[in-house]
């Protein structure tokens, strides 16, 4: 993969702008060029499209407010709606770049939703992609996610399972974008932290500048890793469709044949996604521990007693893996479940369920159902052991009015506690659409919004 020395404007033609677009514009060269290229494309192809530029003032540098105002003047001169949003509150003493990134995405999403827009565009470039890949190599993220992190940033990422963040300039060099600005006689601001090697990314940037061909090598590595990651996801999704079912809420059953699947890499990945989903964990369990678990689930060699003749239990990523003759069952362990607490609209409960309260915030409590009440509700189906159904239901949430007893309050219209695909609930890279969409269908989570780029599907 070779980064383009001239921006590929046709990439905008592959994006669905039906609901409008929010352009994240910091005032730096990359995001400013994105705004000009996007405005030119929409003026030529869909002038009625709603376009909003948003600048996040993190308040981390004395000149940040003036830089935001400079973006506002640029937008006013070109007839582009613009908002400045402040990251208020205390800033963390450690992990500042990650916290700033999280705040930035949250504020961008809030601005998009306020305008009824379902798409955000950022100005990440080929330079950013190369830096990201090398940073992940240096951190050896492949210990937990072998090969996955080396794919770099995805062309699009679904935030909070509701709004897509697209990166149309990942194939373009920063130098090419700056040339676009020079020809348009438009200036940009330089963030001094981009040169501060106290931060990881500037150190990697300096290393790239010193190594001839390093950027191209990193981009080629990212392209290969992205293809491998997507292919593995499709194979894992096929195994989940073929071997997994949901006998009861909070309970996943895998046919014993899952453990002997020929495609071991896909089986391990599918198991990792399911474990994280059932346990409500944001990160996939470690590769090595997942491989060891899958190996333990396999029947013994010919002539020995089959593993499934002797029940086996293990816990990984807060998920109990219970293997027996009836199948391999996954459920949330009962330790460390959240205590009863006020239900918060749109919050993630236990990492597994998203709460929707409609227009009744503050009226309801939420807590696990509990073993006693689960025993009254459990109904075993399709040969599922009743004890497993009871154990799974005991960890499921129940809503009730604070003034009433648990279970006495009806679930009113507009209220819901919906399952989520935990490892992808916050950020779902387009690389992982196939397994995410398949697991969502399995557990009854909402369907994925249509991806913004043509050629991507949910598998």
């Amino acid at each position: 993969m070779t980064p383009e020395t001239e921006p590929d404007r046709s990439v905008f033609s592959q994006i669905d702008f039906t609901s409008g677009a929010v352009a994240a514009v910091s005032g730096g060269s990359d995001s400013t060029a994105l705004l000009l290229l996007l405005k030119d494309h929409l003026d030529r192809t869909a002038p009625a499209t709603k376009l909003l530029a948003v600048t996040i003032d993190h308040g981390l540098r004395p000149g940040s407010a003036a830089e935001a105002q400079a973006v506002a003047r640029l937008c006013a001169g070109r007839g582009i709606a613009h908002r400045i949003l402040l990251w208020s509150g205390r800033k963390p003493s450690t992990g500042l770049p990650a916290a700033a990134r999280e705040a930035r995405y949250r504020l961008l999403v809030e601005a998009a939703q306020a305008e009824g827009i379902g798409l955000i565009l950022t100005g990440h470039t080929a330079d950013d992609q190369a830096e990201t890949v090398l940073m992940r190599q240096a951190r050896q993220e492949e210990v937990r996610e072998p090969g996955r992190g080396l794919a770099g940033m995805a062309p699009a990422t679904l935030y909070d399972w509701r709004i897509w963040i697209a990166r149309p300039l990942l194939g373009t060099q920063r130098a090419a974008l700056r040339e676009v600005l020079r020809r348009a006689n438009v200036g940009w601001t330089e963030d001094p932290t981009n040169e501060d090697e106290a931060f990881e990314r500037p150190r990697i940037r300096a290393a790239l500048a010193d190594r001839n061909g390093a950027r191209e090598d990193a981009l080629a590595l990212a392209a290969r890793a992205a293809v491998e990651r997507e292919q593995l996801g499709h194979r894992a999704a096929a195994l989940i469709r073929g071997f997994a079912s949901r006998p009861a809420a909070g309970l996943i059953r895998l046919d014993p044949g899952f453990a002997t699947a020929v495609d071991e890499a896909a089986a391990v990945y599918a198991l990792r996604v399911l474990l994280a989903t059932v346990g409500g964990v944001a990160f996939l369990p470690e590769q090595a521990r997942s491989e060891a678990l899958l190996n333990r689930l396999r029947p013994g060699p010919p002539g020995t007693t089959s593993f499934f003749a002797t029940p086996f239990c293990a816990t990984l990523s807060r998920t109990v893996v219970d293997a027996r003759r009836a199948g391999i069952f996954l459920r949330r362990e009962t330790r460390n479940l959240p205590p009863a607490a006020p239900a918060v609209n749109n919050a993630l409960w236990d990492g597994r369920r998203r709460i929707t309260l409609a227009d009744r915030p503050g009226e309801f409590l939420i807590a696990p159902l509990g073993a006693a009440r689960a025993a009254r509700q459990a109904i075993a189906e399709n040969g599922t052991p009743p004890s497993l159904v009871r154990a799974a239901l005991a960890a499921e949430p129940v809503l009730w009015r604070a003034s009433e007893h648990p279970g006495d309050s009806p679930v009113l219209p507009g209220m819901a506690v919906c399952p989520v695909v935990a490892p992808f609930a916050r950020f779902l890279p387009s690389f992982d659409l196939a397994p995410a969409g398949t697991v969502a269908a399995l557990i009854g989570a909402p369907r994925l919004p249509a991806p913004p780029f043509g050629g991507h599907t949910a598998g």
Side-chain angles (χ1 to χ4, degrees):
M1 176 180 178
T2 302
E4 295 292 335
T5 55
E6 179 70 22
D8 180 9
R9 298 169 186 261
S10 68
V11 70
F12 294 104
S13 300
Q14 303 169 26
I15 301 175
D16 181 3
F17 290 108
T18 303
S19 68
V22 165
V25 186
S26 67
S29 61
D30 305 345
S31 60
T32 303
L34 167 72
L35 180 63
L36 298 191
L37 293 169
L38 177 59
K39 180 67 163 62
D40 177 69
H41 170 78
L42 294 177
D43 284 347
R44 289 184 291 103
T45 61
T49 299
K50 182 183 291 187
L51 173 60
L52 172 65
V54 174
T55 302
I56 308 300
D57 182 358
H58 296 90
L60 299 176
R61 292 182 290 105
S64 62
E67 293 166 5
Q69 288 298 330
V71 177
R73 291 191 294 274
L74 172 67
C75 291
R78 293 175 178 263
I80 302 171
H82 180 253
R83 303 282 185 277
I84 298 174
L85 301 179
L86 301 177
W87 180 26
S88 57
R90 295 181 61 184
K91 309 299 189 292
S93 57
T94 60
L96 185 59
R101 182 169 56 250
E102 172 64 26
R104 181 163 60 250
Y105 283 133
R106 174 178 56 81
L107 291 169
L108 287 168
V109 167
E110 290 175 1
Q113 288 195 308
E115 296 292 333
I117 295 173
L119 176 64
I120 297 167
L121 275 70
T122 68
H124 292 101
T125 67
D127 302 78
D128 296 315
Q129 183 74 300
E131 293 160 9
T132 297
V133 171
L134 293 182
M135 286 164 60
R136 292 178 180 178
Q137 269 191 316
R139 284 191 237 124
Q140 296 184 329
E141 285 190 1
E142 62 268 28
V143 172
R144 176 183 287 273
E145 305 289 337
R148 286 172 52 79
L150 300 183
M153 293 178 284
T157 296
L158 184 63
Y159 179 89
D160 224 14
W161 210 261
R162 51 190 169 137
I163 288 189
W164 283 101
I165 300 169
R167 305 177 181 95
L169 302 179
L170 282 180
T172 303
Q173 293 183 30
R174 178 169 294 116
L177 297 176
R178 292 186 170 186
E179 185 57 34
V180 167
L181 296 179
R182 291 188 186 97
R183 290 199 297 261
N185 199 28
V186 173
W188 64 86
T189 60
E190 293 283 4
D191 184 346
T193 61
N194 287 334
E195 307 298 329
D196 185 354
E197 295 193 13
F199 295 101
E200 181 183 23
R201 188 173 287 274
R203 291 198 301 270
I204 294 293
R205 185 170 298 151
L208 277 171
D210 292 340
R211 289 167 48 199
N212 203 21
R215 178 177 55 193
E216 288 70 22
D217 291 344
L219 293 174
L221 174 59
R224 291 193 301 272
V227 171
E228 292 169 1
R229 181 165 164 176
E230 287 201 43
Q231 291 176 344
L232 180 63
H234 279 283
R235 288 163 19 224
L239 288 178
I240 293 169
R241 289 193 298 271
F243 290 101
S245 59
R246 185 181 61 153
L251 186 64
I252 299 297
R253 177 188 179 273
L254 294 172
D255 186 86
F258 174 85
T260 57
V262 174
D263 191 344
E264 181 178 344
V268 170
Y269 181 40
L271 181 61
R272 296 173 73 202
V273 174
L274 290 172
L275 288 170
T277 298
V278 173
V281 178
F283 296 100
L284 301 183
E286 290 181 358
Q287 176 82 9
R289 297 184 69 186
S290 303
E291 290 174 350
L293 176 59
L294 182 66
N295 189 57
R296 184 67 179 86
L297 293 172
R298 291 196 179 98
T304 64
T305 302
S306 170
F307 160 74
F308 295 106
T310 304
F312 162 75
C313 270
T315 302
L316 184 57
S317 290
R318 305 198 313 184
T319 297
V320 175
V321 181
D322 191 323
R324 51 181 73 191
R325 288 184 182 275
I328 304 167
F329 294 90
L330 312 179
R331 62 174 176 83
R332 168 71 161 93
E333 66 173 334
T334 54
R335 293 187 308 160
N336 302 318
L337 286 167
V344 178
N345 189 50
N346 201 43
L348 277 181
W349 181 85
D350 195 38
R352 298 182 291 139
R353 303 289 185 267
R354 189 174 299 282
I355 304 169
T356 302
L357 298 177
D359 57 353
R360 287 170 287 275
E363 294 184 24
F364 288 82
L365 299 176
I366 188 167
L369 183 63
R373 296 184 62 226
R376 297 196 297 269
Q377 296 187 16
I379 300 176
E381 297 181 0
N382 302 324
T384 303
S387 61
L388 293 180
V389 177
R390 288 195 296 270
L393 290 180
E396 288 297 286
V398 61
L399 280 169
W400 73 94
R401 278 196 176 92
S403 59
E404 300 176 0
H405 293 292
D408 292 344
S409 304
V411 176
L412 303 176
M415 291 178 56
V417 184
C418 292
V420 301
V421 186
F424 304 124
R426 190 63 159 176
F427 292 101
L428 168 58
S430 54
F431 303 135
D432 303 315
L433 289 179
T438 299
V439 174
L442 172 67
I443 66 175
R447 294 189 64 179
L448 288 168
F453 281 108
H456 281 97
T457 71

